[in-house]
Amino acid sequence: MYVKEVPVPPEHATTLLDRVTFADCYEVAPVSKDHLTDLYWNIFTHSPAWITNLMALRNRIARRFGLKAAAPDEGNSTAPCPAPNDVQVGQRLGMFQVIKMADNLLVTGEDDSHLDFRIALSRTKDNRLRVTTVVQTKNTLGRVYMFVIKPFHKLIARTMITNALKAGRL
């Protein structure tokens, strides 16, 4: 099993945001039959130290520009994952707000002054897990932000999924 970059599912590129200016998708197969909230938790709340440090730097810089910044511990959690029935649209799951939930789809994200983004976890019929990120930039700051962040995003996304896979959390 390994993580590979795949084309963004068309339905994610056209329905998660009004206008997509950046999108990527990573896939791993096969994955456990766990609920998508568990898989999400197992990927996004176990950051290695170097990612935690990069996010802390990002948050310090973001605050200076009046952008949203995560709480210091939102990328790592020793708390258990909330039960799937306890997770509701509008509440936070790890760092991000739950936007949409369906049987084979969990969407989280945030809206900010410079960009909006969505992270979609979806399960295919053959039990592959896809982690899709879509971004809609809103202004020059958003475009500059994405230019700077994009290489880090790709490395971080692949690393977080790979780490969860290697640790047996998927």
Side-chain angles (χ1 to χ4, degrees):
M1 293 192 314
Y2 59 94
V3 177
K4 66 178 180 176
E5 189 165 4
V6 297
V8 173
E11 64 274 15
H12 293 172
T14 58
T15 64
L16 296 179
L17 290 169
D18 294 335
R19 181 180 49 83
V20 174
T21 53
F22 169 81
D24 66 3
C25 183
Y26 295 92
E27 182 179 87
V28 61
V31 295
S32 72
K33 301 283 187 193
D34 290 347
H35 194 277
L36 288 175
T37 56
D38 295 315
L39 296 175
Y40 180 93
W41 192 265
N42 290 339
I43 294 170
F44 293 108
T45 61
H46 296 83
S47 299
W50 68 269
I51 291 176
T52 300
N53 293 334
L54 270 179
M55 291 303 293
L57 175 62
R58 177 256 176 231
N59 289 335
R60 283 194 301 276
I61 294 168
R63 283 188 196 97
R64 292 178 185 251
F65 287 94
L67 304 177
K68 290 182 180 179
D73 62 347
E74 283 184 326
N76 286 301
S77 180
T78 56
C81 177
N85 292 339
D86 293 338
V87 177
Q88 303 294 322
V89 170
Q91 78 177 64
R92 297 189 91 62
L93 185 61
M95 288 190 286
F96 306 123
Q97 182 180 19
V98 176
I99 306 291
K100 182 177 181 177
M101 293 178 66
D103 287 339
N104 291 311
L105 178 67
L106 170 66
V107 180
T108 65
E110 294 291 334
D111 297 341
D112 206 342
S113 60
H114 66 309
L115 60 76
D116 299 341
F117 73 90
R118 302 291 182 263
I119 299 171
L121 264 67
S122 57
R123 188 190 310 267
T124 64
K125 290 178 183 168
D126 60 349
N127 204 35
R128 295 175 187 274
L129 178 69
R130 289 187 177 150
V131 180
T132 304
T133 303
V134 294
V135 176
Q136 173 179 309
T137 56
K138 296 180 176 179
N139 51 36
T140 302
L141 179 57
R143 289 185 292 279
V144 170
Y145 177 90
M146 279 308 299
F147 178 79
V148 172
I149 293 300
K150 192 182 329 184
F152 295 101
H153 162 79
K154 289 190 163 290
L155 177 63
I156 290 169
R158 184 181 290 273
T159 298
M160 296 288 285
I161 300 164
T162 299
N163 285 356
L165 182 63
K166 287 181 179 177
R169 296 190 305 265
L170 298 180

